[in-house]
């Protein structure tokens, strides 16, 4: 199977988070928006429910022999699974039940999301209050625990949805800050030392490998300065990012990624109601994508097989009505791109 074919049949998808706290309603929206080959449904995250449903808490609930609890400053390492870890696992089970209900008989790509090892290390505190990022050994242990937990999680999803081809998405919004030494300490008065790029790459490779030898994995970041080359070396089959944050400096890396078979998940649809002007024109939403392809000298005929259209980030901050609109618009914009690539 070629790199490009791993995401065939995936013109559009969402990032992960959805508004509200009703798991069944979220699953219904996500599966309905991408029915009949319009895109890739996914396991929705509902952070409005509170700690444990947030992206950090959910991923802590996946860890093996490593636990967390909520402090006023955020999530902190625990010796044993307490109320907060149990709540995270309970909500994940509820979300899986809902998705299973709405994917009966489904065959095709299905995405699950988890926070990557470096964003998790930047957010999770050691017992003394410092970020786990400050301790190289703790970061290694965290990556190992996350990889083991993800293998079990993916096996559970495959058991529940046997017709699905399960895709793993790692969310790494803090990755660039980790690489450049921009992650602030709890006091805010200093930053943690930049982590060596080879160390970062190695941990990402190990966690992405949890998708399995024949599995499919991508990395998402809605932060500026996505390290495209590093993510490709780490084994990401796809890279997901906010298209509006792309700069000319990164265009060469985009061209190399496409030519190397890396699939691009382009966040071109606004993720909140406030920025939703222009959603009446699906073709207009992807005009910048066509322009970029032309500027890079890439064959317009490769657009449909190289690109998936998404909202710019998660939809947790949107209204339920707008979240439905944004997902449907992503599918329509993807159709426009396929029908009129030039």
């Amino acid at each position: 199977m070629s790199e490009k074919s791993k995401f065939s049949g995936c013109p559009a998808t969402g990032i992960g988070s959805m508004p509200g706290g009703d798991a069944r309603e979220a699953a219904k929206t996500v599966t309905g928006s991408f029915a009949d080959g319009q895109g890739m449904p996914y396991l929705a995250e509902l952070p409005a429910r509170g700690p444990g449903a947030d992206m950090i808490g959910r991923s802590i609930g996946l860890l093996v022999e490593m636990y967390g609890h909520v402090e006023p400053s955020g999530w902190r390492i625990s010796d044993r699974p307490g109320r907060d870890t149990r709540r995270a696992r309970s909500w994940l089970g509820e979300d899986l039940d809902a998705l299973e209900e709405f994917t009966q008989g489904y065959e095709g790509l299905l995405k699950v999301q988890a926070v990557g090892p470096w964003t998790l290390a930047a957010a999770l505190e050691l017992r003394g209050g410092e970020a786990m990022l400050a301790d190289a050994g703790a970061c290694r242990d965290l990556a190992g625990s996350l990889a083991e937990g993800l293998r079990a999680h993916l096996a559970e999803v495959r058991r529940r949805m046997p017709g699905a081809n399960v895709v793993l998405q790692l969310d790494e919004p803090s990755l660039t800050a980790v690489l450049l030494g921009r992650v602030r300490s709890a006091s805010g008065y200093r930053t943690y030392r930049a982590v060596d790029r080879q160390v970062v790459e190695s941990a990402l490779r190990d966690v992405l490998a949890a998708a399995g030898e024949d599995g499919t994995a991508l990395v998402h970041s809605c932060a500026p300065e996505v390290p495209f080359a590093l993510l490709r070396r780490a084994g990401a089959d796809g890279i997901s990012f906010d298209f509006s944050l792309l700069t000319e400096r990164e265009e060469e890396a985009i061209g190399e990624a496409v030519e190397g078979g890396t699939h691009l998940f382009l966040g071109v649809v606004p993720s909140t109601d406030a920025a939703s002007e222009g959603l009446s024109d699906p073709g207009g939403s992807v005009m910048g994508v066509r322009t970029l392809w032309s500027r890079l000298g890439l064959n317009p005929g490769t657009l449909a097989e190289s690109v998936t259209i998404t909202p710019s980030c998660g939809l947790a901050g949107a209204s339920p009505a707008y979240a439905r609109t944004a997902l449907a618009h992503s599918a329509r914009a993807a159709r426009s791109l396929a029908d009129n690539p030039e």
Side-chain angles (χ1 to χ4, degrees):
M1 180 182 286
S2 71
E3 295 289 344
K4 288 183 180 178
S5 67
K6 285 193 171 188
F7 292 104
S8 62
C10 180
T13 191
I15 300 303
S17 66
M18 294 288 286
D22 187 328
R24 290 187 76 256
E25 185 61 33
K28 181 180 178 182
T29 297
V30 165
T31 54
S33 298
F34 301 122
D36 303 320
Q38 294 188 84
M40 176 167 58
Y42 56 95
L43 179 64
E45 301 163 349
L46 302 172
R49 291 181 298 198
D54 59 301
M55 59 188 280
I56 299 296
R58 165 162 286 189
S59 296
I60 288 171
L62 293 171
L63 298 175
V64 173
E65 295 183 2
M66 195 175 280
Y67 314 103
H69 67 277
V70 178
E71 294 279 343
S73 55
W75 283 90
R76 184 171 293 184
I77 281 291
S78 297
D79 291 323
R80 58 186 65 86
R83 180 183 60 189
D84 296 325
T85 299
R86 287 195 295 271
R87 186 191 297 124
R89 292 173 176 173
S90 173
W91 272 327
L92 175 59
E94 186 180 307
D95 294 336
L96 281 169
D97 288 344
L99 186 62
E100 184 178 5
E101 178 184 345
F102 286 97
T103 53
Q104 292 294 311
Y106 174 74
E107 295 182 355
L109 295 170
L110 177 75
K111 181 165 67 72
V112 299
Q113 306 83 219
V115 175
W118 295 107
T119 295
L120 206 53
L124 183 55
E125 296 176 354
L126 296 166
R127 291 176 182 83
E130 290 291 340
M132 190 169 271
L133 194 61
D135 185 328
C139 288
R140 283 193 298 274
D141 292 344
L142 178 65
S145 173
L146 179 62
E148 188 175 347
L150 283 171
R151 281 191 287 271
H153 177 48
L154 293 171
E156 169 74 357
V157 175
R158 288 170 181 137
R159 183 187 65 78
R160 286 170 174 256
M161 298 95 173
N165 180 2
V166 182
V167 174
L168 170 64
Q169 173 183 305
L170 293 184
D171 293 316
E172 280 284 15
S174 298
L175 181 60
T176 299
V178 168
L179 288 166
L180 298 179
R182 295 176 182 168
V183 178
R184 294 204 165 273
S185 64
S187 67
Y189 293 124
R190 62 184 179 83
T191 55
Y192 293 104
R193 182 181 301 156
V195 180
D196 181 87
R197 297 181 82 85
Q198 288 185 320
V199 173
V200 169
E201 183 183 323
S202 175
L204 279 170
R205 183 180 296 109
D206 290 346
V207 178
L208 286 167
E213 194 171 324
D214 298 320
T216 306
L218 67 135
V219 177
H220 164 73
S221 173
C222 49
E225 301 175 77
V226 175
F228 291 96
L230 184 150
L231 294 177
R232 292 175 59 215
R233 289 195 304 270
D237 300 303
I239 300 174
S240 171
F241 58 97
D242 182 342
F243 188 74
S244 71
L245 299 179
L246 197 65
T247 66
E248 285 187 23
R249 284 198 314 274
E250 294 157 308
E251 288 188 3
E252 184 179 346
I254 291 285
E256 290 174 354
V258 172
E259 290 175 347
T262 302
H263 197 87
L264 301 181
F265 290 73
L266 305 182
V268 300
V269 178
S271 57
T272 60
D273 307 54
S276 61
E277 294 177 11
L279 285 199
S280 59
D281 179 15
S285 294
V286 290
M287 189 181 302
V289 180
R290 295 189 185 97
T291 302
L292 174 65
W293 232 246
S294 174
R295 201 159 56 234
L296 292 174
L298 296 169
N299 178 3
T302 65
L303 261 172
E305 67 187 30
S306 301
V307 162
T308 293
I309 298 301
T310 74
S312 58
C313 207
L315 295 166
S319 67
Y322 178 72
R324 289 191 293 272
T325 298
L327 294 181
H329 186 82
S330 296
R332 286 197 299 271
R335 263 199 315 277
S336 169
L337 199 60
D339 293 343
N340 303 291
E342 297 189 65

